[in-house]
Amino acid sequence: TRDEARRLGVNGWVRNRRDGGVEALAEGDRSAVENLIAWCRHGPPTARVTGVEVYWEPYAGEFDDFKVAY
């Protein structure tokens, strides 16, 4: 997710949750964020994606990179 977000020019973070899910916050150009969401719907080759929930918020501009959060 980090690599794809960076390729698309999207900033924010991604993290694995204890329940096995993945959570991310992404900001940037709307079309780039939409492309990242589309990529997340299938994920990397070894992923098993069962669903993606999206919540839109106003752009805050608080990130300058896309990182893995722990």
Side-chain angles (χ1 to χ4, degrees), residues 1 14 16 19-24 35-54:
T1 302
V14 63
N16 293 326
D19 65 3
V22 176
E23 181 177 22
N35 286 333
L36 180 62
I37 293 166
W39 180 89
C40 288
R41 294 190 190 285
H42 60 79
T46 58
R48 184 177 62 93
V49 179
T50 59
V52 173
E53 294 181 28
V54 177

Side-chain angles (χ1 to χ4, degrees), residues 17-36:
R17 296 177 4 167
R18 290 183 180 197
D19 65 3
V22 176
E23 181 177 22
L25 186 147
E27 64 178 20
D29 178 77
R30 185 176 181 102
S31 65
V33 172
E34 287 173 344
N35 286 333
L36 180 62

